[in-house]
Amino acid sequence: MNAGIHPATDIVTAHVDPFVLDRLPPRDEWPQITLDESLYRYPSRLNAAAVLLDGALERGWGPRPAMGLGDDMWTYAEMADCANRIAAVLVEDYGTVPGNRVLLRGSNAPWMVAAWFAVLKAGAVAVTTMPLLRTAELAKVVAKCEPSVSLCAEGLEAELRPATDRPVATWGLNGDLTAAVSAKSGSFVAVDTAATDAALLASTSGTTGEPKVAVHFHRDLLVIADAFESILQARSDDVFVGSPPLAFTFGLGGEVVFPMRAGACTWFCDEPGPAALAELIAKRRATVCFSSPTAYRAMVPLDPRPDLSSLRCGVSAGEWLPRTTFDLVERELGLRLIDGIGATELLHIFISASDDEIRPGSTGKPLPGWEAAIFDANGGAVPDGQPGLLAVRGPIGCRYLDDDRQTAYVRNGWNFTGDVYVRDADGYFWYQARADDMIISSGYNIAAPEVEEALLAHAAVAGAGVIGTPDPDRGAVVHAFIHLRDPSSATDALARELQDHVKASIAPYKYPRRVTFCAEPLPTTPTGKLQRRGLAALINE
């Protein structure tokens, strides 16, 4: 397809449908993009699916295992064949043209990956959604992204159909997409997209409020793999597993892009939860795992605990990794977790450390090609050792789809992640809290994660979550929600013991003045991280 130039953005594009290009922020609202060609050198025309999938076949990786679920493992050749057939269905049966959006709805599975690759090969833009979303939530995504067609796992279409007036095709035993795919030849030439053509729209908040949707280019998908390679050092014989849904870019990178960039394979978990993930690691002798700190911590007390000795690399992101969790996992599992901070707006991890570079409790240093700095609320530089707002810039930047919140995230060319950090004199970054998780009590700033870490260090505590709750005298007070290893041991005396424990561990003014014991584990997101927004609802239960 001949290249065109979009007049408003000056982007060279293969997109026939300019929907995404028309809704990008003005160029003066973009962050500074610094693509160091000594690190990241890509042609001006590339299709990420062709690079990852067709490139694998060109390297002779066709017979290698690629993606598996249950007892069913697809080779790279089988993945390419299915993706090509789905792409042909999109173009020939549904009239998909480059730039159209295609919504994907399904659990982590080889079919889901094949559908994602097919969308990219067709030059369309993937809008991947979580299977847990309901009609009202899906309707917001549909209204924002306006997909021309949706591809959905059989059994999940009931919530989707009322949310869209466009076609919905299903894969599965009796799916109409499955039948249509069987009639195609398996030959499809990927659209010659520009490196800066949109490949995916990633929703940052699809469950509450108006979703923010980040636009990411074909080139960006290769950047995240090549940037994190300095940390991961992936091998072709690696076996990847993970807990995040593919609708989360943490999962998309760790379970699809990174392994396929290296010629490795992924086994998907067919049940939710840390116990099922641990069983999968043991059964498939997984070597690389992507999950949350909460999930790693939950694997330790499993009885019996599956054999996790095959893991050489555990990547932890999605929420802060407390030092107590790092130490526990190292002591009990022999695994030094790789911490990392990423953001949907920036597609994946941009600060991390591995091996001897790990400083427990620190997130790490910026990945190659990335810069990070600490600013105050007015945009002034904050000296090392002092807390402030984390800002980053590098080869990928935030570009929201048709959203005036762009100027809140991007300021003076920097991406402000909404996290409070401290940088030390050696250039390591230390997490303090989400900016909106800082509790102001009697004029003191108290970081909720710091209190949680102190509580987690107590032997009786299995899980802890902290928020600020209103108080007429102090404005707000620290309120701890605690799930005990033995829920029947919850007493007022234990609450006082835990308060004293926090006072002895960190500054006494930070102790939780209110303690709520929870009989059930604390609420978590689909990626397994603590859901603080759900804690307040537990007060009166």
Side-chain angles (χ1 to χ4, degrees):
M1 177 172 292
N2 293 328
I5 298 179
H6 185 256
T9 59
D10 291 330
I11 290 179
V12 177
T13 181
H15 283 187
V16 174
D17 179 352
F19 177 91
V20 174
L21 289 165
D22 289 346
R23 289 161 176 78
L24 286 173
R27 287 303 291 261
D28 62 1
E29 293 181 4
W30 288 30
Q32 181 179 337
I33 303 295
T34 53
L35 193 72
D36 185 342
E37 291 195 357
S38 69
L39 299 170
Y40 310 111
R41 192 176 186 88
Y42 309 106
S44 61
R45 312 288 298 182
L46 70 84
N47 184 301
V51 172
L52 294 170
L53 200 49
D54 297 345
L57 303 188
E58 292 166 3
R59 294 182 183 90
W61 297 351
R64 288 186 184 181
M67 300 281 161
L69 176 68
D71 293 321
D72 184 22
M73 170 58 76
W74 293 25
T75 65
Y76 277 81
E78 290 169 332
M79 179 64 67
D81 179 76
C82 188
N84 286 344
R85 291 171 184 266
I86 297 172
V89 171
L90 287 172
V91 173
E92 296 168 11
D93 297 5
Y94 290 99
T96 302
V97 300
N100 282 169
R101 283 73 54 220
V102 179
L103 186 144
L104 302 174
R105 175 168 165 81
S107 57
N108 292 7
W111 254 98
M112 181 73 160
V113 177
W116 183 80
F117 275 124
V119 174
L120 271 59
K121 293 197 81 171
V125 184
V127 182
T128 308
T129 61
M130 290 189 301
L132 291 178
L133 295 187
R134 299 295 182 245
T135 299
E137 298 155 335
L138 289 165
K140 293 178 182 179
V141 177
V142 168
K144 188 83 172 182
C145 302
E146 297 186 20
S148 60
V149 61
S150 297
L151 308 182
C152 181
E154 197 172 33
L156 293 177
E157 68 273 22
E159 296 281 351
L160 176 59
R161 292 192 188 279
T164 178
D165 59 359
R166 305 307 297 271
V168 175
T170 61
W171 70 78
L173 187 62
N174 300 304
D176 52 345
L177 178 61
T178 308
V181 159
S182 65
K184 302 300 179 183
S185 69
S187 177
F188 187 91
V189 177
V191 170
D192 181 28
T193 47
T196 52
D197 271 329
L200 68 151
L201 301 180
S203 178
T204 67
S205 180
T207 55
T208 60
E210 179 69 20
K212 292 179 290 185
V213 175
V215 180
H216 289 299
F217 299 156
H218 282 265
R219 181 181 69 193
D220 297 345
L221 290 162
L222 305 184
V223 168
I224 61 171
D226 297 343
F228 203 62
E229 179 56 22
S230 63
I231 300 293
L232 193 59
Q233 300 178 28
R235 307 187 302 247
S236 60
D237 62 348
D238 272 326
V239 178
F240 285 66
V241 297
S243 59
L246 299 185
F248 284 83
T249 55
F250 179 45
L252 178 67
E255 297 168 78
V256 178
V257 178
F258 296 174
M260 297 201 76
R261 188 71 161 151
C265 77
T266 298
W267 279 101
F268 292 120
C269 205
D270 52 7
E271 293 183 22
L277 181 60
E279 292 286 354
L280 181 65
I281 292 168
K283 181 176 182 179
R284 300 302 178 185
R285 306 305 296 157
T287 59
V288 180
C289 180
F290 282 75
S291 196
S292 67
T294 301
Y296 287 112
R297 186 179 184 89
M299 291 183 195
V300 171
L302 292 175
D303 186 19
R305 184 196 301 158
D307 179 7
L308 308 178
S309 62
S310 61
L311 281 179
R312 69 168 185 85
C313 180
V315 181
S316 172
E319 63 178 338
W320 176 55
L321 173 61
R323 175 66 187 269
T324 51
T325 298
F326 180 94
D327 290 343
L328 176 70
V329 172
E330 183 177 27
R331 182 176 66 251
E332 297 292 332
L333 304 183
L335 188 67
R336 287 173 61 83
L337 290 177
I338 293 173
D339 196 6
I341 178 175
T344 303
E345 289 88 348
L346 303 173
L347 192 55
H348 216 271
I349 291 171
F350 44 80
I351 294 176
S352 188
S354 62
D355 301 326
D356 293 339
E357 295 297 311
I358 293 175
R359 292 190 180 179
S362 164
T363 307
K365 293 183 176 181
L367 298 184
W370 286 93
E371 298 176 78
I374 306 297
F375 294 101
D376 61 27
N378 297 318
V382 172
D384 288 346
Q386 298 296 316
L389 298 173
L390 176 68
V392 297
R393 63 188 180 189
I396 301 173
C398 173
R399 296 169 294 261
Y400 284 138
L401 184 77
D402 192 21
D403 201 310
D404 58 12
R405 289 171 285 187
Q406 175 75 16
T407 54
Y409 200 91
V410 176
R411 287 174 267 167
N412 299 320
W414 292 86
N415 303 274
F416 282 76
T417 67
D419 298 283
V420 178
Y421 263 82
V422 169
R423 183 178 61 191
D424 67 19
D426 295 325
Y428 279 82
F429 285 79
W430 300 77
Y431 179 78
Q432 306 299 299
R434 288 289 296 172
D436 53 6
D437 287 337
M438 292 295 285
I439 302 166
I440 302 175
S441 181
S442 296
Y444 289 102
N445 289 331
I446 303 169
E450 185 182 18
V451 184
E452 290 165 359
E453 182 177 20
L455 288 165
L456 287 169
H458 192 284
V461 177
V466 167
I467 60 173
T469 53
D471 182 81
D473 299 321
R474 301 175 182 273
V477 295
V478 177
H479 192 146
F481 297 80
I482 297 170
H483 177 58
L484 298 170
R485 298 189 184 281
D486 176 10
S488 67
S489 65
T491 62
D492 291 342
L494 181 56
R496 289 191 294 271
E497 179 181 330
L498 292 172
Q499 290 171 323
D500 291 340
H501 169 78
V502 173
K503 290 179 185 179
S505 302
I506 57 178
Y509 68 83
K510 299 177 182 178
Y511 85 94
R513 294 176 181 271
R514 295 172 185 160
V515 174
T516 297
F517 289 114
C518 304
E520 300 297 326
L522 301 182
T524 58
T525 70
T527 56
K529 67 181 181 180
L530 176 68
Q531 191 177 56
R532 285 194 181 86
R533 285 183 306 212
L535 294 178
L538 301 176
I539 294 174
N540 296 318
E541 286 190 359

